[in-house]
Amino acid sequence: MAKWRTLVAVSLATFMLLLDVTVVNVALPQIQRDLDADFDALRWVIDGYALALAATTLTFGSLGDRIGHRRTFRWGLIVFSLSSLAAGLATTPLALNLCRGVQGIGGSALLAPSLALLGAAYRERDRVVALGVWGAINGGSLAIGPLVGGALVESLDWRAIFWINIPVGALAWLMVLRGTPESRRDRVPGRLDLPGLLALSGGLTALVLALFEGNARGWTSPLILGLFVTAAALLALFTTVERRAADPLLDLGLFRTPSITGASLAVLALATSVFAMLTFFVLYLQNVLGHDALETGLRLMPITTGAFLAAGPGLALAQRLPIRAVLSGALGCAAAGLLLMSASVGPGDDWTAMLAGGVLIGLGVGAFNPVVARVALGTVTPARAGMASGLSSTCRVLGVALGVALLGTVFDSRVRDRFQELVPSAAPGTADAVTSAGLHEVASRAPVGTREQVAAAAEQAFVSGLDHILLLAAALAAAGAVASALLVRGSDFLAESEATPATLSS
């Protein structure tokens, strides 16, 4: 048991911090009532956490290379657990949102060094097991969030979704203290690249903020355009600073290795497609099919189960087949699941129409996660393991933000246009409510005698929008499969004595 304490600690922390991306969704109605929060405040309960997570993950990956991955991870546990306690004690929307931002910072200090810790602690067959478990948890935690949140909210209170992190964090802390080695010999010398840190954090913050606010405020509004310009300027400044820095926050030379570029694009593709689609699956199950939070979580279990079951076989295949074939095949499986779901789900169907596609999606995600982790770590020396881990995690979080923004824009436009085609006499604002409210609420706004017709039109419009973004998500996943096949090469992997993971076949 002792040798697996690092795996338990990292798995618990990964599950906890990724669960917090989606677990809050089901608690929003209770939070709104208890704290008298308006819509903007509620949205920042979710967005504030994701924004902080996206903006600081790469920073903590690089910091771990300098001060030690174990030390970074331990401080992340403290910050995450204490901010979870404070979030559960919050009495105003502002206090809750500030706590969620601090939670995101603590979460990035957990997520960024997680792969580096596993790479340093395990070798050969043990590493295969460790990465398989980590990949399964990584894939399943986002999908299982509504189930856990629903159970806690219905049986206890909304504050329980934050307080549950405290015993989990304490257990992870004990595991780190008793069984996780520090990577002292692999630390990068030099000082922290403060100019690079400020430019990158500012640029990513502006970019993610623009993506979060674009749908609500309009993509051509002065605020959103200004945020995009600011993001572009700061990220351009960041690349200039990194080229000249003696100890860069992100070594841009990493991208001269095609496999690192391919793995980063693959992670981005999976996040913008599958992980972003989870938001819309929840909306469909709750707003169209009328399931509550717990029922919604249960109906997402095929994705979660597939992710758990496929992680081990995915790594086993990577021992026998070219790793680029496994990566592109996993993304192709996810793309096929999205296409199948698009073809299967129609007006009047129940949740079982999603079942076959959901299983394929889960299998693709499960096979993908641990294998792409081996690519991220197998092509760098241990001294750059935190940087590589942080880069992969940043692509994942940014991909979700980009995917929700892109898919949400297409979805809103298609639903609005289709509803107006079906009900041209609908009152202003009714079409907008189709994407954010249940069918009964939309129908209640219609004149008596037309409510069944309006409800049917709302369902058709919603399913039409869902079909469009499923096709778009499938195309994004397929593009990631192509990038993996073209860029990931066995010749980029270092030998066991040089790299964190073992050499893989090409």
Side-chain angles (χ1 to χ4, degrees):
M1 174 62 186
K3 73 174 183 179
W4 298 113
R5 284 173 183 158
T6 297
L7 175 60
V8 173
V10 169
S11 298
L12 285 172
T14 300
F15 179 78
M16 181 173 62
L17 70 94
L18 291 179
L19 193 72
D20 268 40
V21 175
T22 55
V23 73
V24 178
N25 287 283
V26 298
L28 290 181
Q30 272 198 20
I31 294 173
Q32 183 179 30
R33 290 193 300 270
D34 284 4
L35 302 185
D36 192 25
D38 58 22
F39 177 75
D40 284 338
L42 282 177
R43 186 170 58 180
W44 277 105
V45 175
I46 298 172
D47 291 354
Y49 177 78
L51 176 61
L53 194 65
T56 58
T57 297
L58 185 57
T59 298
F60 282 107
S62 182
L63 185 64
D65 288 335
R66 287 167 168 78
I67 70 171
H69 303 126
R70 180 174 178 263
R71 179 182 294 180
T72 304
F73 190 84
R74 286 172 58 191
W75 278 108
L77 277 172
I78 293 173
V79 172
F80 191 88
S81 298
L82 291 179
S83 58
S84 296
L85 173 63
L89 295 172
T91 57
T92 66
L94 177 59
L96 178 58
N97 290 334
L98 289 174
C99 291
R100 287 287 284 169
V102 177
Q103 250 194 324
I105 295 172
S108 64
L110 294 174
L111 185 61
S114 59
L115 282 179
L117 285 171
L118 294 179
Y122 303 108
R123 291 288 183 270
E124 299 176 350
R125 185 172 298 277
D126 286 347
R127 185 183 293 116
V128 173
V129 175
L131 289 180
V133 172
W134 179 87
I137 290 174
N138 205 296
S141 55
L142 289 172
I144 206 173
L147 174 62
V148 175
L152 289 173
V153 170
E154 291 185 14
S155 61
L156 297 172
D157 182 72
W158 67 266
R159 299 177 190 275
I161 65 174
F162 299 115
W163 287 341
I164 192 66
N165 293 331
I166 299 168
V168 175
L171 179 58
W173 173 267
L174 290 175
M175 292 294 165
V176 169
L177 283 182
R178 298 183 63 185
T180 300
E182 182 57 278
S183 51
R184 295 184 186 278
R185 64 180 179 85
D186 299 327
R187 290 186 189 175
V188 175
R191 303 165 67 178
L192 185 63
D193 175 19
L194 185 59
L197 187 156
L198 294 175
L200 177 65
S201 298
L204 291 180
T205 298
L207 175 61
V208 176
L209 190 58
L211 294 174
F212 282 154
E213 294 289 321
N215 270 342
R217 299 180 181 270
W219 294 102
T220 58
S221 67
L223 174 62
I224 300 304
L225 291 177
L227 286 171
F228 277 126
V229 170
T230 300
L234 287 174
L235 292 175
L237 175 62
F238 171 72
T239 59
T240 301
V241 169
E242 298 308 279
R243 288 193 181 99
R244 298 176 180 177
D247 302 296
L249 186 69
L250 174 62
D251 183 358
L252 299 179
L254 289 176
F255 293 107
R256 289 197 289 268
T257 303
S259 291
I260 292 180
T261 303
S264 299
L265 291 174
V267 171
L268 199 64
L270 187 75
T272 56
S273 57
V274 173
F275 291 150
M277 277 302 306
L278 288 173
T279 299
F280 302 95
F281 292 158
V282 170
L283 287 175
Y284 174 69
L285 289 167
Q286 292 187 342
N287 291 353
V288 175
L289 300 187
H291 296 298
D292 62 25
L294 185 58
E295 292 168 344
T296 296
L298 289 171
R299 282 155 180 78
L300 290 174
M301 285 298 288
I303 298 176
T304 308
T305 303
F308 274 103
L309 293 178
L315 274 173
L317 283 174
Q319 303 296 316
R320 297 172 174 82
L321 299 175
I323 195 167
R324 62 174 177 267
V326 180
L327 274 183
S328 59
L331 280 165
C333 183
L338 292 165
L339 285 174
L340 180 58
M341 198 176 288
S342 173
S344 303
V345 176
D349 289 334
D350 62 19
W351 76 274
T352 55
M354 303 173 63
L355 187 58
V359 170
L360 282 178
I361 292 169
L363 292 174
V365 171
F368 177 89
N369 277 322
V371 176
V372 81
R374 297 196 72 173
V375 178
L377 295 178
T379 51
V380 298
T381 62
R384 288 286 184 258
M387 186 181 292
S389 176
L391 175 62
S392 179
S393 299
T394 298
C395 288
R396 187 181 303 271
V397 179
L398 277 177
V400 174
L402 179 61
V404 170
L406 174 62
L407 298 177
T409 300
V410 174
F411 178 72
D412 288 345
S413 176
R414 177 58 188 171
V415 169
R416 188 181 301 108
D417 291 347
R418 181 60 179 153
F419 184 77
Q420 289 177 344
E421 287 176 10
L422 295 170
V423 190
S425 60
T430 305
D432 294 330
V434 175
T435 60
S436 59
L439 298 185
H440 293 297
E441 181 173 338
V442 174
S444 68
R445 302 183 182 189
V448 177
T450 66
R451 290 178 178 174
E452 286 190 12
Q453 175 192 357
V454 169
E459 182 177 4
Q460 290 184 47
F462 194 105
V463 171
S464 177
L466 186 66
D467 177 65
H468 272 61
I469 61 174
L470 281 167
L471 293 174
L472 178 55
L476 291 170
V482 172
S484 300
L486 293 177
L487 294 173
V488 177
R489 311 179 309 185
S491 59
D492 290 334
F493 288 83
L494 305 179
E496 175 76 15
S497 59
E498 301 174 272
T500 305
T503 303
L504 298 170
S505 58
S506 59

